[in-house]
């Protein structure tokens, strides 16, 4: 991995892990003028996994303005959460996490603390290990993995904490990753106070409860990405912001299909499209595609 000075690293992380304001629901969303349709054409790349790369509805200030999208059926794959703090305390790029843990898909498990780079900013729990015990107020969505109460339950679900309480699910799953809400449980868009453009990775559910993963390297604002999700051909809900800037990582290796997506731009702190390597991440979500 290319070395960056400590000062640059700190500034970039500030760009993706700043103090977000509490989300506000915008139930009167209207599609902005002069936007193209969002065209989604799926290609199956594995059992329960589909891929699409398409043009964003508006042009970014730089790059190819593409959106990379995965659709994953949580009932047909295996999800897991991995934290360096529960293992060897060594952060790893997503491709190394994939090789080490035998994973087909790996992406960010939320933002991590600037002063304690192994520790998540929101609640992060994996089995008996608490990476971050504290529930962060104003972070109104929870990624839940590894159900404990039913063999028929999906392996991964994103919950809106304004629609249900954390207490109602805390004993139903082994692993949790807390994040920031972009669409609520009814699909209503949030109105983010921070006006920032960046590379980012977002997860949501469609109307059949598939997990939708959206990645953009070309910078867009969070409110723009929320607008893109509102143009999705099937309604989306329970959207969670996972990471932004050069830390943003998406790795897919299924059969003959290999995809490596690396983030870069953060307005104000890292306003350039030059990052070319996966950053080392302390916490990741991994997916294994079942053979049968």
């Amino acid at each position: 991995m290319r070395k960056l000075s400590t000062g640059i690293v700190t500034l970039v992380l500030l760009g993706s892990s700043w103090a977000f304001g509490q989300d506000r629901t915008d139930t009167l969303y209207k599609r902005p003028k002069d936007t193209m349709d969002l065209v989604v054409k799926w290609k199956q790349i594995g059992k329960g996994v589909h891929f699409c790369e398409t043009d964003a509805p508006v042009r970014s200030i730089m790059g190819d303005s593409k959106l990379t999208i995965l659709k994953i059926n949580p009932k047909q794959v295996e999800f897991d959460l991995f934290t360096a703090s529960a293992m060897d305390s060594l952060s790893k790029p997503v491709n190394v996490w994939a090789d080490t843990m035998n994973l087909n898909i790996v992406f960010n498990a939320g933002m991590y603390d600037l002063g304690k780079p192994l520790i998540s900013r929101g609640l992060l729990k994996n089995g008996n290990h608490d990476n971050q015990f504290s529930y962060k107020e104003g972070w109104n969505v929870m990624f839940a993995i590894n159900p404990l109460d039913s063999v028929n339950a999906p392996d991964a679900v994103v919950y809106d904490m304004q629609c249900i309480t954390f207490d109602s699910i805390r004993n139903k799953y082994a692993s949790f990753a807390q994040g920031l809400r972009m669409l609520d449980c009814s699909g209503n868009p949030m109105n983010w106070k921070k006006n920032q453009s960046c590379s980012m990775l977002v997860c949501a559910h469609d109307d059949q409860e598939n997990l939708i993963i959206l990645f953009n390297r070309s910078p867009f604002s969070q409110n723009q990405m929320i607008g893109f999700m509102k143009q999705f051909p099937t309604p989306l809900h329970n959207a969670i912001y996972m990471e932004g800037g050069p830390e943003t990582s998406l790795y897919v290796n299924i059969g003959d299909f290999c995809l490596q997506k690396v983030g870069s731009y953060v307005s104000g702190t890292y306003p350039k499209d030059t990052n070319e390597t996966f950053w080392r991440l302390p916490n990741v979500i991994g997916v294994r595609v079942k053979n049968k």
Side-chain angles (χ1 to χ4, degrees), residues 218-247:
S218 296
F220 294 104
S221 71
Q222 286 83 9
N223 283 326
Q224 282 180 306
M225 179 61 77
I226 290 168
F228 300 162
M229 289 190 284
K230 290 299 294 180
Q231 288 185 231
F232 214 73
T234 56
L236 301 182
H237 60 279
N238 289 18
I240 178 173
Y241 179 91
M242 302 301 289
E243 184 56 284
E247 304 97 317

Side-chain angles (χ1 to χ4, degrees), residues 72-233:
I72 304 175
N73 185 338
K75 293 184 179 180
Q76 294 186 322
V77 301
E78 297 175 349
F79 279 80
D80 213 340
L81 177 66
F82 299 93
T83 65
S85 60
M87 301 169 66
D88 54 10
S89 296
L90 296 176
S91 298
K92 306 173 185 65
V94 284
N95 57 326
V96 176
W97 277 112
D99 291 343
T100 303
M101 306 310 299
N102 190 29
L103 303 169
N104 297 109
I105 302 171
V106 186
F107 55 95
N108 307 76
M111 295 177 286
Y112 51 91
D113 192 285
L114 297 176
K116 301 176 182 179
L118 293 181
I119 307 302
S120 174
R121 292 200 63 208
L123 183 146
L124 190 71
K125 173 183 174 60
N126 188 29
N128 294 324
H129 176 72
D130 290 312
N131 173 275
Q132 172 57 270
F133 179 80
S134 299
Y135 183 95
K136 195 170 185 68
E137 295 298 328
W139 288 36
N140 291 323
V141 69
M142 189 73 71
F143 204 126
I145 301 171
N146 296 326
L148 300 175
D149 61 340
S150 173
V151 294
N152 296 318
D155 229 31
V157 182
V158 180
Y159 286 103
D160 183 343
M161 296 290 94
Q162 295 298 297
C163 294
I164 66 170
T165 65
F166 182 52
D167 284 342
S168 69
I169 62 171
R170 69 163 67 240
N171 294 321
K172 294 183 178 181
Y173 295 86
S175 306
F176 296 97
Q178 189 181 15
L180 290 145
R181 191 171 55 160
M182 300 184 81
L183 298 174
D184 71 12
C185 61
S186 298
N188 295 317
M190 299 296 101
N191 184 11
W192 281 39
K193 299 176 183 179
K194 186 75 174 183
N195 184 22
Q196 180 197 49
S197 294
C198 62
S199 307
M200 75 182 85
L201 188 139
V202 177
C203 295
H205 284 303
D206 68 9
D207 56 357
Q208 296 182 348
E209 298 307 323
N210 295 302
L211 184 72
I212 304 296
I213 301 174
L214 300 101
F215 171 94
N216 60 287
R217 178 181 173 93
S218 296
F220 294 104
S221 71
Q222 286 83 9
N223 283 326
Q224 282 180 306
M225 179 61 77
I226 290 168
F228 300 162
M229 289 190 284
K230 290 299 294 180
Q231 288 185 231
F232 214 73

